[in-house]
Amino acid sequence: MPVALDSTSLALGTVACYLLYFVYVRWTKRQGLPPGPPRLPFLGNIHQLPQLDQHTFLKRWADQYGDVVYAEFFTQPAIVVSSVKAACELMEKRGAYYSGRPRFVRIREMIGWTGHSAWRPYDDTWKRQRRWFQQSLISASAVKRNHPLQEREVRRLLYALVQHPAEFISHIKRYSASLILEIGYGHTVTSVEGDEFIQLVEAGIQEVFGGSGAGSAPVDFFPVLKYIPAWLPGAGFKRAALMAKEAIAATENIPYDSVKDDIAAGVAKPSFTTAMMQDCLKKGALTSEDEIVIKGTAGTLYAGIKYTTLTSIMVFILAMVQHPDIFQKAQEEVIRVVGETRLPEFSDRESLPYLENIITEVYRWHPAVPIGVPHLASDDDVYRGYYIPKNSMIISNIWAMFHDPEVYPEPERFKPERWSNTNTDRGDDPNLGDPRKIVFGFGRRICPGRYFADNSVWIVAACIISMMSIRKARDARGEEITPSPKFHSGIVIHPEPFVCDIRPRSEQSRQLILESLGAGTV
């Protein structure tokens, strides 16, 4: 005889079935996750993730588990991608689903760096920022329009190297900072030490960029930590964030206010900031929201392009000190093409293939941002049969991509010849392993300043190779000092200070450098 069910029993049965189905679906999906290291309850894999040199640690995961690895940091699912193929298929071909950003608790909520376009979610404000970048940095006309500034600043760099060669690191810092402050705000830098703005913000930005990768601090995975009082033992991260918060505010406010005052006085120079302000003024008076977005967009230039440019130039010099044969070969090419009566210009670039190989190898050997800024999966997805949960953090380990021996044989060697058109050690697809298609990021979140940064590195390399001699320094006993490639860890890595002997390669070169700046002889 059939049993009649009352409404309560039916409702409870329905709920039970739904819960069982939900658990079954979740269990089934989790069974299909990519391979990865064993996880602990609650902690996941956070106990394994080091704060320093995360790129080399994550490469070991790739070596063990493959190019797509699943991990959890507390309750945050993460997909570590260590091949160009997987990165392109996810973040470029499926860009509509993989262009978001994680929450970035440390950077956005504690430090308050909400205006920087790299940390922003994929929203209308980010798209507005991207349009401004397109007009001032990305378009072909903008790239060409910036050439005179880059050529002027490299002449100043060469002059400084002639006058004080031992301070080459400081000169390169001035060069990279001056480019960005000039294009961003119309502000000319004469020296790093004497520039109040640079001194004010450097420490704070270093605090943001140092240590762990973007979005990988413990507070990013366990946000409740941000409420810990700064005075508690072990809360040094909170005190550091407060210091960085002041510096980042200064990064955005001080130069913007200076441009605003210059506009009011009628003496403002053309710059990225003035262009953005003029664009907003077409619709009426500047709103407070306009000002916030403009400050953040301009600040993106200084904090992003400046540091990646600095790292790449330092890596170039380090490589040239370590490999005098490569330097000599490049110098012979530049002299053959450019001659000895002028400095290299951007119009020479296509005629200098070996120099191009050197710059390409610089990007591969030690990428400035070894772990790209993480993307976020906006929905559940399936890739290669693996389940990728919604809100997974997608970590692109660019370092691992560039140090895959299957793609780049002898990856630890600095070897420009690997980029020769006649060389076949680049894999089946020659474009797949091209660092220029990788080092600046993937998909819709690719670095908007990539052309400006690449040109800024190239013109320095070309002019130093043309005009200067780079050798190993010698100690008090006259023995050569070979610098080792040691790097500070962080979102942006950079070589530890090293010494070298850099000087004009001839008296003719010295005179040409001085005359190119209108300085005459000294």
Side-chain angles (χ1 to χ4, degrees), residues 23-235:
V23 170
Y24 169 76
V25 169
R26 293 287 293 178
W27 180 85
T28 302
K29 287 182 175 180
R30 290 186 70 83
Q31 292 301 107
L33 290 169
R39 301 180 293 278
L40 293 178
F42 178 68
L43 292 177
N45 304 101
I46 191 66
H47 62 293
Q48 298 171 292
L49 187 68
Q51 284 297 293
L52 301 178
D53 298 323
Q54 292 176 351
H55 54 285
T56 57
F57 173 80
L58 293 178
K59 185 181 183 301
R60 291 196 289 273
W61 276 0
D63 293 340
Q64 183 174 358
Y65 300 105
D67 63 333
V68 178
V69 173
Y70 180 81
E72 289 180 2
F73 304 116
F74 290 115
T75 59
Q76 172 67 58
I79 307 293
V80 184
V81 178
S82 300
S83 73
V84 179
K85 180 178 176 64
C88 290
E89 288 181 344
L90 289 175
M91 290 175 279
E92 293 189 356
K93 294 182 180 180
R94 306 187 191 188
Y97 302 101
Y98 291 98
S99 295
R101 290 297 197 210
R103 184 174 167 183
F104 290 133
V105 176
R106 173 175 170 267
I107 293 175
R108 286 179 57 83
E109 298 179 23
M110 295 183 66
I111 295 176
W113 204 354
T114 58
H116 194 300
S117 67
W119 322 131
R120 286 205 63 83
Y122 186 65
D123 57 11
D124 289 341
T125 297
W126 180 88
K127 294 176 183 177
R128 186 185 188 191
Q129 292 177 311
R130 195 70 177 193
R131 178 172 60 83
W132 284 334
F133 285 132
Q134 176 68 34
Q135 295 169 351
S136 296
L137 289 173
I138 301 174
S139 69
S141 59
V143 170
K144 188 173 182 179
R145 187 169 60 245
N146 292 324
H147 285 172
L149 167 64
Q150 292 164 316
E151 291 176 344
R152 185 198 77 191
E153 288 302 320
V154 80
R155 291 195 295 270
R156 294 177 64 193
L157 171 61
L158 291 173
Y159 180 80
L161 290 173
V162 169
Q163 300 300 311
H164 305 286
E167 300 173 16
F168 71 95
I169 295 177
S170 177
H171 302 326
I172 295 170
K173 287 181 178 179
R174 188 216 60 81
Y175 167 80
S176 57
S178 183
L179 284 174
I180 302 307
L181 292 177
E182 185 84 29
I183 192 176
Y185 306 101
H187 173 71
T188 300
V189 177
T190 55
S191 73
V192 172
E193 292 76 14
D195 193 285
E196 180 181 2
F197 169 73
I198 293 177
Q199 292 303 309
L200 183 63
V201 304
E202 281 294 310
I205 293 180
Q206 287 292 344
E207 172 58 36
V208 177
F209 282 170
S212 58
S216 62
V219 69
D220 289 309
F221 305 123
F222 200 44
V224 72
L225 292 175
K226 72 177 184 177
Y227 299 109
I228 291 177
W231 50 264
L232 277 180

Side-chain angles (χ1 to χ4, degrees), residues 286-311:
L286 283 175
T287 66
S288 58
E289 178 62 26
D290 287 335
E291 292 195 313
I292 291 172
V293 176
I294 291 171
K295 290 176 184 179
T297 309
T300 298
L301 295 184
Y302 185 83
I305 302 176
K306 187 257 186 181
Y307 286 94
T308 55
T309 300
L310 172 63
T311 291

